[in-house]
Amino acid sequence: METIGASRLFLSFAHAFELRKTFIMTTVIDQNTTAPNTDASDADEPEPLQVHLPEKWQLQAWQVGLVVACSLFFMYHNYMRLFYSDVWGHIAYGNWILDHQELPTSEPFVPLAEGVEVTATAWGGQILLALAGRGGGAEGYSALFAVVTTLTYAVYALAFRMQIGRFGWACLASFLVWAVNWGRHAVIRPEMFGGLCFAILIACLIAADPRRKRDADDTSRTDNGQTPWFVWLAVPLVMTLWANLHGSFVVGLVLLGCYTVGRGIEVLLSTGNLWAIFADRTFRRWVILTELAVVAACINPYGFDLLLHTLLFPQNPNLKDIMEWYSLEMVSLEGITVGASWIITLVVLRHSRAALRATDVVAFSVFTLAVIMRVRMVAWYGPVWMLMLAPHLRDVLEQIAATKPVQKLRDDSAVLFTRSPHYTLIAALVLWLAFAFSPVSKFVLGGKARADSTLYHSDTPLAVTDYLRENPPSGLVAGPQWWGDWLAWDGPEGIQMMMTTNAVHVAPPQVWKDYLRIANATPDLSRRLDRYRVNTLIVHKELQTDLERSVRRLPGWRVTYEDDLALIAVRGGEKTAEPDFVPAIPSPAVAEKPEI
């Protein structure tokens, strides 16, 4: 990345600082030379270069280390290469909405799904992605992702601080949430806006809970049934925004429901009276807050139907073939991180003296079951896991901090906890350098854009779309579904893809099954290609080895392009006949599914 502008600006500041230092030192020498009999009390005056800051703005050494870690966190996500999957389909949807000034009512990009009614549940997030691209090109998507992701985990850190009480430990909790979500942390899609809304919602729930610091010896915090006024405004506002940004808003409603049910169980266990639940002010508060959230989520272009469509979405039969809709496998990356979180939970709860509330048990159980059933739920499981664990983690860390070895280590490293204005200046310099050396600085400081090899994932078929633009295909193109959105985005205008990731849930089930048979090179490959009048085949050579072998010996087909990543084969000879199969439009129970 070009950082000439940033480097020059930094050097100019450094040069100016050295000149000022030289001038001040020269002045001091002159004064000492001309006035040797100056009063001795002048020696007590501060050095000319001493920095004066209010104590609240002075940082400690360990906080400078935290600033460095956060800066690296942002830079890591800003340098993350754009994946080749459905992000491009979402961007295409966003551009379509901006161009037509309306929401699509049917699938606009896949011919075999044309006419199938869709519900654009991610329309707000898609527009934001499209605007980022129009303002900054592909670099704009990367910058938006880095900013939203960093802001999300910053909100988590602030939220957990209300539970843990120490910002350093809260940052550790936020990092653990990110680590559990490691298998999906690189997902760039409208879901990231849902993640930010979820973080804000969790912060609101902690603020609304007067027992958020759940120490066994803290009796000063009692639940008086009152909720801060800003929570009543923030929760409905967040749910309205979330419902218009991404279909994952139902996760927030589920969490609110868990708090409601959990409070009811707590009252039942403490009183033994079922009717006491309805007389409990706190239970009624959670019921009203949940109802407000549901009503707020219905403020969208589809109204209450959006909630129904989103709840029915997992029943789509096509989704059972998509990996992120599989059940959790412990040998997978997500399974390893979730399993590690369970081990951490057992260890922390074993040594924690804080009370375990029914609300925590209900929420943790529901989201654990959800991630076991659908691996994609790991993005929502991690925050709820830490919401339950944070008070206990705080108690265990306090026990560790009270041990003699740790106290001795703290005494020996007291310099790490000493405040100094110089640490604040160092932290400011670190933040500036992190910005200057991140790709996002290009929009302010200028410079060349990143090369394609560092901007796009290595499996992105850049050369394939270059070839297709020079040799536009005619008729239907069958390629890997995970490349479909990219090929439709970067390929020649009007390319007709058989399948894209964004069209999986709206494609007729028969079309989806036939696509899978083509992708897996079943023995009837030639007949199915004729059936849909597929004229161009694109093959991922590493992931579709059977299809590659079949295509090379397929009668009437010839390979016209090949590189290390992919090959392209086209139908040779005379023009093919009309297809003998026309996919029927499925019933609304299958077709009318929201896009998540």
Side-chain angles (χ1 to χ4, degrees):
M1 181 194 69
E2 293 291 336
T3 57
I4 296 177
S7 300
R8 287 179 177 174
L9 187 57
F10 175 75
L11 289 175
S12 65
F13 283 134
H15 183 60
F17 178 82
E18 289 297 330
L19 289 177
R20 174 175 173 80
K21 179 179 179 182
T22 303
F23 174 78
I24 293 174
M25 295 302 295
T26 303
T27 304
V28 172
I29 293 173
D30 291 341
Q31 290 176 350
N32 292 335
T33 302
T34 58
N37 296 324
T38 304
D39 194 297
S41 62
D42 293 342
D44 296 333
E45 294 182 0
E47 292 294 329
L49 294 180
Q50 185 171 349
V51 180
H52 295 279
L53 281 177
E55 185 177 356
K56 66 178 181 179
W57 295 106
Q58 296 180 18
L59 299 182
Q60 301 173 4
W62 72 268
Q63 292 173 327
V64 176
L66 184 60
V67 170
V68 172
C70 294
S71 299
L72 293 176
F73 182 86
F74 174 81
M75 294 180 69
Y76 169 76
H77 287 88
N78 198 189
Y79 274 105
M80 189 173 293
R81 292 182 292 181
L82 298 171
F83 207 56
Y84 49 80
S85 65
D86 60 334
V87 60
W88 306 105
H90 288 297
I91 296 169
Y93 261 84
N95 283 320
W96 190 98
I97 294 171
L98 290 175
D99 293 338
H100 293 80
Q101 295 296 302
E102 62 180 1
L103 299 181
T105 57
S106 62
E107 169 55 43
F109 300 112
V110 177
L112 294 180
E114 185 177 359
V116 177
E117 186 175 353
V118 297
T119 303
T121 62
W123 68 272
Q126 290 165 346
I127 288 178
L128 291 178
L129 282 170
L131 291 174
R134 294 188 177 191
E139 293 273 15
Y141 311 135
S142 176
L144 181 61
F145 171 70
V147 170
V148 172
T149 302
T150 304
L151 183 59
T152 297
Y153 287 96
V155 173
Y156 279 133
L158 294 174
F160 296 140
R161 185 182 183 278
M162 290 189 287
Q163 287 187 292
I164 296 178
R166 298 190 183 182
F167 189 67
W169 293 354
C171 290
L172 172 62
S174 182
F175 172 78
L176 290 175
V177 172
W178 178 78
V180 169
N181 191 31
W182 174 260
R184 291 179 57 82
H185 81 284
V187 174
I188 302 178
R189 55 169 61 149
E191 182 180 306
M192 63 184 179
F193 303 112
L196 177 57
C197 292
F198 197 44
I200 298 174
L201 178 64
I202 285 179
C204 291
L205 295 184
I206 295 174
D209 187 356
R211 296 175 297 173
R212 56 181 175 267
K213 292 185 177 180
R214 302 162 190 170
D215 304 322
D217 57 348
D218 186 1
T219 59
S220 62
R221 294 182 176 272
T222 58
D223 199 338
N224 56 12
Q226 295 181 355
T227 301
W229 64 269
F230 65 86
V231 173
W232 294 104
L233 297 178
V235 170
L237 178 60
V238 168
M239 293 309 304
T240 298
L241 292 174
W242 194 352
N244 289 278
L245 288 170
H246 191 251
S248 56
F249 70 93
V250 293
V251 175
L253 300 179
V254 170
L255 182 58
L256 285 167
C258 289
Y259 262 68
T260 303
V261 174
R263 178 59 184 176
I265 294 176
E266 290 175 1
V267 175
L268 180 62
L269 292 177
S270 62
T271 64
N273 184 355
L274 184 63
W275 295 109
I277 298 176
F278 303 98
D280 182 70
R281 294 178 61 187
T282 302
F283 176 79
R284 296 200 302 269
R285 175 190 64 186
W286 287 117
V287 170
I288 296 173
L289 199 60
T290 303
E291 291 175 340
L292 283 176
V294 173
V295 173
C298 293
I299 303 176
N300 63 79
Y302 305 99
F304 187 73
D305 288 344
L306 177 65
L307 179 59
L308 296 178
H309 289 320
T310 308
L311 292 175
L312 295 175
F313 183 82
Q315 300 179 15
N316 191 307
N318 296 350
L319 297 179
K320 65 182 179 63
D321 299 308
I322 304 298
M323 292 184 61
E324 66 179 23
W325 289 90
Y326 289 178
S327 58
L328 183 69
E329 296 182 0
M330 300 310 297
V331 295
S332 66
L333 184 58
E334 293 85 358
I336 293 173
T337 57
V338 171
S341 74
W342 294 342
I343 295 175
I344 294 174
T345 301
L346 291 175
V347 173
V348 171
L349 292 182
R350 168 63 180 81
H351 296 281
S352 173
R353 300 165 301 183
L356 183 63
R357 296 173 56 193
T359 301
D360 296 327
V361 175
V362 171
F364 180 68
S365 300
V366 169
F367 280 81
T368 298
L369 179 62
V371 76
I372 291 175
M373 296 177 60
R374 295 288 185 269
V375 67
R376 67 174 298 166
M377 291 298 296
V378 68
W380 317 108
Y381 161 82
V384 175
W385 164 66
M386 187 51 63
L387 178 65
M388 177 273 297
L389 194 66
H392 307 279
L393 181 64
R394 172 180 181 262
D395 183 77
V396 172
L397 291 175
E398 284 182 342
Q399 294 181 50
I400 295 174
T403 59
K404 290 184 178 180
V406 175
Q407 288 181 342
K408 185 178 183 302
L409 179 62
R410 183 184 177 92
D411 294 338
D412 295 340
S413 57
V415 66
L416 295 177
F417 305 95
T418 302
R419 293 184 177 274
S420 171
H422 297 91
Y423 292 145
T424 304
L425 296 181
I426 294 174
L429 177 61
V430 169
L431 291 175
W432 165 253
L433 291 177
F435 170 76
F437 287 95
S438 296
V440 70
S441 65
K442 180 181 74 72
F443 301 109
V444 178
L445 304 177
K448 295 182 180 179
R450 282 187 286 173
D452 289 347
S453 59
T454 61
L455 181 59
Y456 300 102
H457 191 276
S458 57
D459 269 3
T460 304
L462 297 169
V464 170
T465 48
D466 288 340
Y467 174 82
L468 292 176
R469 284 195 299 270
E470 295 177 359
N471 304 272
S474 61
L476 201 63
V477 178
Q481 154 256 320
W482 56 89
W483 278 353
D485 295 288
W486 168 264
L487 294 170
W489 165 259
D490 194 52
E493 184 177 357
I495 186 173
Q496 300 180 15
M497 296 302 303
M498 182 177 184
M499 190 60 59
T500 67
T501 301
N502 268 327
V504 168
H505 66 282
V506 296
Q510 185 61 49
V511 172
W512 172 244
K513 292 178 182 178
D514 286 336
Y515 157 76
L516 291 177
R517 294 187 178 99
I518 293 174
N520 294 322
T522 55
D524 58 352
L525 173 62
S526 180
R527 181 175 66 84
R528 295 192 184 280
L529 293 174
D530 293 340
R531 189 180 194 183
Y532 288 92
R533 198 175 60 180
V534 174
N535 291 335
T536 304
L537 269 171
I538 302 174
V539 182
H540 190 299
K541 295 170 65 175
E542 180 180 355
L543 301 180
Q544 295 179 305
T545 54
D546 292 339
L547 182 59
E548 179 189 359
R549 287 193 296 268
S550 299
V551 168
R552 293 187 184 278
R553 58 174 182 266
L554 196 63
W557 290 76
R558 58 188 177 88
V559 176
T560 59
Y561 173 83
E562 182 174 4
D563 57 27
D564 294 337
L565 180 63
L567 67 81
I568 299 176
V570 299
R571 189 186 295 273
E574 300 178 356
K575 183 178 179 180
T576 58
E578 293 295 326
D580 60 0
F581 170 77
V582 178
I585 301 301
S587 62
V590 175
E592 295 181 6
K593 300 294 181 181
E595 192 285 322
I596 292 185

